[in-house]
Amino acid sequence: MSSANRSLENFKPLQDRVLVERLEPEEKTAGGIIIPDTAKEKPIEGKVVAVGPGARADGGELIAMDVRVGDIVVFGKWSGTEVKFGGKEYLIMKNSDIMAVIG
């Protein structure tokens, strides 16, 4: 079964990885000009959908994750690996690829 047909119910990122759903940018500019899909840049903001347990330090202790499910985050333009679940695109990235939590 391809990942496009699987649901997120049983998806659990490993170690310090995070699953993020991109937030789509506005379709229009402030002046009302509609931006065509071909001119849009991929968004660098997203909503955290799933979070791994965290990485392990050299001593074996668990390093807590910086984000939680539901957080809105900012990440690098080329961060993560794209995957599909249920026909939707997501990014799997390391906790360290996330630069900020919004709000």
Side-chain angles (χ1 to χ4, degrees):
M1 177 185 279
S2 75
S3 61
N5 295 327
R6 294 184 190 153
S7 72
L8 287 175
E9 292 174 12
N10 298 320
F11 185 85
K12 182 71 177 169
L14 299 178
Q15 299 176 359
D16 64 338
R17 289 180 177 79
V18 178
L19 185 69
V20 175
E21 179 179 0
R22 287 186 198 264
L23 295 179
E24 292 302 319
E26 293 293 321
E27 299 282 324
K28 293 183 188 179
T29 66
I33 298 171
I34 297 175
I35 303 168
D37 288 339
T38 54
K40 290 181 188 172
E41 295 224 359
K42 289 193 176 188
I44 58 168
E45 292 182 10
K47 182 177 181 181
V48 176
V49 177
V51 177
R56 296 267 175 196
D58 291 337
E61 63 272 5
L62 192 63
I63 300 169
M65 297 291 280
D66 295 323
V67 296
R68 294 182 291 219
V69 172
D71 283 349
I72 304 299
V73 296
V74 176
F75 47 87
K77 190 174 188 176
W78 307 108
S79 296
T81 300
E82 292 182 351
V83 293
K84 281 189 178 184
F85 288 98
K88 290 179 89 175
E89 287 188 14
Y90 299 90
L91 290 170
I92 299 175
M93 65 183 70
K94 287 190 159 261
N95 186 46
S96 59
D97 288 340
I98 295 173
M99 295 185 274
V101 176
I102 300 173

